[in-house]
Amino acid sequence: MSSPGPVSADQQLVEHARRHGFVVSAKQLASWRRAGLLPEHTKRALGRGRGSASVPDAEAFGLVVALARLARRGARPSHLALVLFGEGHPVPEGTVRDGFGKAVRGLGAGLGEQGPEEGEDEAEWAERVADEVVASGQRVRLVPARVRRIDEGIARYMRDREVVWPPPELADLDANPEPPSLSSGEVTTAAVTTALRGGAAVTPQGIGDVLRAVQPPGWGNPAASLAEYTVDDVPDAAQEVFLPDGGMSTVPDGDVRGALLSLVETAPLEDLREAWEVSGATREWGLDLCARVEAELEAGELGDAALAWLMGRAFVSGLVLMAQVGDRHWSPTDRALDSLILLMMRRSLRDLDGKVPDCQWELLGSPAVLPAPLIPFLQPRYASEIQQENHDPEPS
């Protein structure tokens, strides 16, 4: 009886997946390979004139099991690549960057594609595009329905107990006597112009407007006030960041998508993976906080979760909360975009750290200013000090 021939490379992978409880076919393997999710087989000489044989790459075995676990009918290869990368699997670098790039290129498809007309000022062009977006009926939704319900629930809880609400102390700390209240159309206009012009469209008043647009109705907003009066309060430091002719020097000018694509091309893979992990942890933070506050409201007894909620609603935590709980179905594309925006924020803060010495970065670690997962990621000095401590030799 003749002995069976050598097992083919694909069959080795099929058998490996089967031993881990998954069924894959040679056709699936070929599809994943074409999508750049699996490495090609390598050739190995058999010796003594017997030619060569194909063998799977060593990393292919783990990838096949992970792909079999994640794949489902209609799953996008770019989504699979991003999730595999986020889990730490050795996805080819080009495939990873392509997945992040597709996430950016799908953002605002068609928005301002033609660019300014001949002789048209860039600011006027951006406003024209924004007007067209608003006229079409599109609107930016800053406050998700879930967040609005929690705000309303807390307000009812306080008023039922005859607590003056909104907190008058917040109004006392807000230096703006006539704070603006933007309409949904105005918010959309601001979002579109910022997306098209980047840092050139960012102003202290614009930052304050965004903070006020996401706050609960009727609140004073000390954080917005600080932003709006930055130039008056710290003129010497502010001029390094907010330019005299308008714009913010720590945010790249031009279409934000171009800046994000530059990050896709140049950011180290370690940075992309770190941002991916922080993005996921921040979303979990937001969803968990919502669930804990809802549980306290249901029990009729507000506690630590409601306190964290209220302390963060007027600060950066509130902005992050809006972004993280706005979409019930958070795709790998959404997470990739969020990861790139976090990297852009970190670069801007590091640039700011260089332009304005002695920034009080420790304040970002104060309760409710930033979600806990973002603190070590975004604080320039915190991160550098920790890194230095980890590398300093022990004293002899």
Side-chain angles (χ1 to χ4, degrees), residues 107-298:
L107 179 65
L111 184 65
E113 275 187 349
Q114 303 303 319
E117 295 177 357
E118 186 176 353
E120 185 178 22
D121 178 76
E122 185 182 75
E124 294 177 353
W125 161 72
E127 290 177 7
R128 173 171 60 81
V129 174
D131 289 342
E132 292 170 357
V133 170
V134 172
S136 72
Q138 299 179 63
R139 294 292 185 275
V140 172
R141 185 189 63 178
L142 286 180
V143 183
R146 186 177 186 181
V147 172
R148 199 162 44 243
R149 287 194 298 268
I150 291 174
D151 286 339
E152 292 167 353
I154 292 175
R156 283 194 302 271
Y157 178 95
M158 297 297 187
R159 290 167 185 160
D160 288 348
R161 288 154 181 79
E162 298 183 350
V163 175
V164 178
W165 204 256
E169 295 83 0
L170 291 178
D172 293 340
L173 295 171
D174 190 339
N176 194 330
E178 297 181 358
S181 179
L182 301 186
S183 67
S184 61
E186 290 171 324
V187 169
T188 302
T189 296
V192 173
T193 53
T194 302
L196 292 176
R197 301 190 62 216
V202 180
T203 64
Q205 185 60 56
I207 295 172
D209 289 347
V210 172
L211 289 168
R212 294 185 188 280
V214 301
Q215 72 183 22
W219 282 35
N221 197 315
S225 175
L226 284 172
E228 291 161 352
Y229 290 98
T230 295
V231 176
D232 296 331
D233 293 341
V234 284
D236 292 339
Q239 67 181 358
E240 296 292 333
V241 180
F242 295 105
L243 306 175
D245 56 349
M248 190 173 186
S249 67
T250 58
V251 178
D253 287 350
D255 195 318
V256 170
R257 291 166 294 188
L260 294 176
L261 284 173
S262 177
L263 275 175
V264 170
E265 296 170 359
T266 61
L269 290 181
E270 293 79 7
D271 286 0
L272 290 172
R273 183 175 283 112
E274 182 186 7
W276 177 273
E277 292 171 354
V278 170
S279 173
T282 306
R283 178 168 170 83
E284 289 177 7
W285 164 85
L287 295 176
D288 176 69
L289 182 58
C290 286
R292 289 192 293 122
V293 180
E294 288 164 345
E296 291 181 356
L297 286 168
E298 182 67 23

